Amino acid sequence: MLNLPAGAAFVLQRLKQNGYQGYVVGGCVRDSLLNRQPKDWDVCTDALPEDMQRIFRGQHVIETGLKHGTLTVMYDHEPYEVTTFRVDGEYTDHRHPDEVRFVKDVAEDLARRDFTMNAMAWSPDTGLVDVFGGREDLAAGLIRCVGDAKMRFGEDALRIMRALRFASVYGFGIEAETSRAIHEMKGNLAGVAAERIRVELAKLLCGRGVGAILREYADVIFAVLPQLAPMHGFDQRTPFHAYDVWEHTVRAVESVPPTEVLRLTMLLHDSGKPAAFTMDERGVGHAYGHPVISVQIAEEILAYLRVDHATRDRVLLLVEAHDMGVTSERTQLKRRLHKLGEEALWELIEVKRADALGKGTEEAAVIEARMDAVRQALRNLLAEQPCVTLRDMAVNGRDLMAEGVTGKALGETLNWLLGEVINERLPNEREALMAAARAHRDAENA
Ligand code: ATP
Ligand code: MG
C-alpha cells in the first residue's frame, strides 16, 4: 500500500471515474518502497492528451508537454504530471526520442523507462505493477537497465549519469551487464547537454556512495571532464601524501559535508597538481603554486557545466584558498575573514579538514581536534564583532578628507589603517586611527 498524497489520489480517482487507467509511476514508487519521501508524484494513464484535457477541465492545469503526452494538474498548489502511456521512437541524438507513440498498455510504458527500479507503477486497484523485477533489484540494492543496457545507453547517454547518480545517492551497486555498458558507452556523454550533466553530477557528488563511484567510474567522469584525467595515478612523491592525486581527491570529496559547493571544491582543488609538479634534487615532489592552475581548470569546468555564478565564484574562491594556513591565531583568522567573509571561511575550515583527512598521513582524531580548536577560536573571535572590513572601521573616507587626504592616497590610507587594525597594531578607535592617519600622511609627504 502506497501512501498517496491527496493530489495523486484525486488524479487517479478522476481518471478511473472517466473509464481510464491511472497509476503513479517511476521515482515516487521507487522512493515509497525505499521508505523515502518522494519529491514529486507522476501519474501515467491510457487517456490521450485530449481526453485528459476534457477530464481535468475546471481544474487548474498547465499544458507542459501535450505533444509528448504530458499535462500538469495543479492540486493544493502542487503540480502532478499526468502522462499518456507511450513508447519512444528513434533516438538519433542519443538523448531525445525523435517522436513518441501513445500506447494502451502500462507494461509498454514501463519498458521505455531507464532502470528496473524506476519502471514500476502502482494503483489502488492493481497494486504494484512490476514487470522487470524492480522490487527485487531495489531490495538487493542493484541498478539494472530495463532491457539491453548497451542499447539503452546508446539511445540516451544521460542514463549513464543517472545510473551513477542513483548508485551514489542510494549507496547501491550497479549490475554487471549495466556496469560494463556504462564503461563502453561513456563516449556518448560528450553529446549530452552540459546543464543536464551538471544536475546529475551535483547529486552524484553529494551522495553517500560517491567514493566508490568516483573510484570505479573514474573513466566516465574523465569522459565528461577530461581536464581531471591527469590526476589519476599521479604519484606525488612526498611524505605528506599517502595516495595518488585522484585517490586523495576521492577521499577529500567523501570527507567534506555534502553541499554542491564543497563537493565541487574538493573535486577540483588539486586538479592543477599534475601541471604544477616539480621534483627537487632529493627526489621529493612539490606542487608549488598549484592552486592557481587548479583555479584555471575549475573555471573551465564550471563554465562548461553552466554552473550558476554564485556557486562558481564560491568554488573558485575556496579552490584558490585551499592551501592557505588556517589556525586559531587571532590575526590570521581576521585576515582570512577579511579575504573570504564569514560564510566562506566556515566553508574553508571544512575544506582544510577534508583535505587533511584525504592525505592519509595524519590520524583523523588529531585532525578533528585541530579543526575543532580553529572553529572554537573563530566563534570566540566573531563574538567580539571584530573589525575586518572598511565598513567596520571607526573612521571613514570623509574623516580622512577632512584631514586633507584625497585622491589615490585616500583609498591607500584607509586600506593601510585597516591592515593595521586587522593585525592588531592599532585599536579600532577613532582618535588612535586619526592620529595614525596624520602621521602616515606626514611621513608620505616628507
Ligand atoms: P528523482 O527522484 O530525481 O526525481 P526520478 O527517477 O523520478 O528521480 P525523473 O527525472 O523525475 O527522475 O523521471 C521520472 C521517471 O521517468 C523515472 O523514474 C524513469 O521512470 C523515467 N525517466 C526519467 N529519465 C529517463 C531517461 N533518461 N530514460 C528513461 N526513463 C527516464
Ligand atoms: Mg521524479
Side-chain angles (χ1 to χ4, degrees):
M1 197 61 198
L2 259 63
N3 199 0
L4 295 187
F10 163 80
V11 170
L12 295 189
Q13 181 66 24
R14 259 298 165 84
L15 289 167
K16 185 178 166 182
Q17 280 168 353
N18 286 273
Y20 294 100
Q21 305 174 48
Y23 301 85
V24 290
V25 67
C28 61
V29 177
R30 177 198 70 222
D31 287 341
S32 295
L33 293 177
L34 283 172
N35 284 320
R36 286 174 156 243
Q37 182 59 44
K39 280 198 299 291
D40 38 43
W41 291 79
D42 299 329
V43 171
C44 62
T45 177
D46 59 347
L48 294 171
E50 57 266 32
D51 302 326
M52 295 196 282
Q53 281 176 303
R54 182 168 35 80
I55 294 168
F56 293 105
R57 188 164 295 146
Q59 224 56 44
H60 179 194
V61 299
I62 305 166
E63 302 193 347
T64 3
L66 280 185
K67 267 207 317 265
H68 292 93
T70 301
L71 182 76
T72 300
V73 176
M74 299 300 297
Y75 188 97
D76 265 354
H77 307 288
E78 292 286 334
Y80 293 86
E81 279 195 3
V82 191
T83 304
T84 309
F85 298 151
R86 60 172 219 228
V87 291
D88 296 337
E90 291 283 297
Y91 286 79
T92 37
D93 65 352
H94 306 299
R95 174 72 196 109
H96 302 96
D98 299 340
E99 52 177 22
V100 301
R101 186 161 56 80
F102 299 132
V103 293
K104 287 290 164 201
D105 182 1
V106 64
E108 278 193 84
D109 182 82
L110 295 177
R112 74 169 164 94
R113 295 171 182 274
D114 49 5
F115 308 114
T116 58
M117 62 176 194
N118 289 341
M120 292 183 278
W122 185 90
S123 79
D125 297 333
T126 62
L128 192 68
V129 182
D130 176 19
V131 190
F132 303 102
R135 181 155 45 178
E136 207 177 305
D137 284 336
L138 207 52
L142 267 187
I143 292 161
R144 182 197 309 269
C145 281
V146 173
D148 181 77
K150 242 183 104 172
M151 217 168 83
R152 302 312 308 280
F153 292 133
E155 290 167 357
D156 177 3
L158 183 67
R159 291 172 187 155
I160 294 175
M161 291 304 290
R162 282 174 57 89
L164 301 191
R165 181 256 282 201
F166 287 121
S168 175
V169 169
Y170 298 139
F172 279 8
I174 301 179
E175 175 274 329
E177 197 59 45
T178 300
S179 171
R180 231 190 326 272
I182 287 175
H183 290 292
E184 245 175 274
M185 302 301 286
K186 64 184 180 233
N188 285 6
L189 278 167
V192 176
E195 8 328 49
R196 305 299 303 271
I197 294 197
R198 179 236 175 150
V199 171
E200 299 303 330
L201 181 66
K203 291 179 183 172
L204 188 173
L205 287 173
C206 292
R208 59 195 176 97
V210 60
I213 297 299
L214 292 182
R215 282 187 193 98
E216 205 178 325
Y217 297 92
D219 58 327
V220 180
I221 302 299
F222 303 151
V224 179
L225 308 174
Q227 301 94 329
L228 302 185
M231 287 197 275
H232 198 256
F234 196 95
D235 180 353
Q236 315 199 51
R237 296 168 189 272
T238 158
F240 299 113
H241 274 273
Y243 308 111
D244 72 61
V245 182
W246 183 248
E247 177 61 23
H248 162 67
T249 296
V250 173
R251 285 167 183 258
V253 168
E254 284 179 308
S255 303
V256 88
T259 69
E260 185 183 15
V261 162
L262 289 172
R263 295 266 159 124
L264 277 172
T265 298
M266 297 331 289
L267 181 72
L268 300 168
H269 79 289
D270 271 354
S271 56
K273 262 197 176 169
F277 185 78
T278 55
M279 199 145 70
D280 66 23
E281 57 287 350
R282 289 167 302 139
V284 176
H286 301 282
Y288 300 120
H290 74 274
V292 178
I293 304 177
S294 297
V295 166
Q296 287 165 5
I297 294 173
E299 266 181 320
E300 212 179 290
I301 287 177
L302 297 171
Y304 162 69
L305 291 173
R306 313 270 196 283
V307 167
D308 63 275
H309 291 182
T311 301
R312 177 200 65 193
D313 292 347
R314 181 57 62 84
V315 170
L316 293 177
L317 185 65
L318 291 169
V319 169
E320 185 197 333
H322 84 264
D323 232 17
M324 284 184 163
V326 179
T327 68
S328 310
E329 201 271 308
R330 288 172 56 83
T331 63
Q332 188 198 60
L333 282 176
K334 288 190 188 182
R335 288 192 297 277
R336 301 294 176 259
L337 278 172
H338 170 70
K339 181 171 166 56
L340 302 164
E342 185 181 334
E343 198 183 280
L345 180 53
W346 283 117
E347 288 181 324
L348 182 60
I349 291 171
E350 297 302 330
V351 168
K352 302 291 298 183
R353 172 182 167 275
D355 196 9
L357 288 169
K359 289 179 185 178
T361 51
E362 220 182 348
E363 263 189 72
V366 174
I367 296 166
E368 299 291 8
R370 186 167 70 234
M371 299 325 293
D372 278 342
V374 174
R375 288 193 194 97
Q376 190 55 50
L378 180 56
R379 271 194 294 271
N380 293 344
L381 179 61
L382 287 169
E384 296 174 22
Q385 298 186 291
C387 166
V388 293
T389 68
L390 289 177
R391 241 179 310 120
D392 304 328
M393 226 169 23
V395 299
N396 60 26
R398 202 158 326 131
D399 298 323
L400 294 192
M401 265 151 45
E403 294 291 324
V405 185
T406 53
K408 244 180 79 182
L410 187 60
E412 187 267 327
T413 306
L414 281 169
N415 282 315
W416 174 76
L417 285 173
L418 179 60
E420 295 300 288
V421 169
I422 286 174
N423 289 300
E424 302 190 344
R425 290 186 288 263
L426 282 174
N428 187 27
E429 288 161 12
R430 196 184 148 77
E431 282 318 305
L433 293 179
M434 289 306 286
R438 275 179 222 115
H440 188 69
R441 178 198 61 198
D442 295 344
E444 297 282 295
N445 291 341

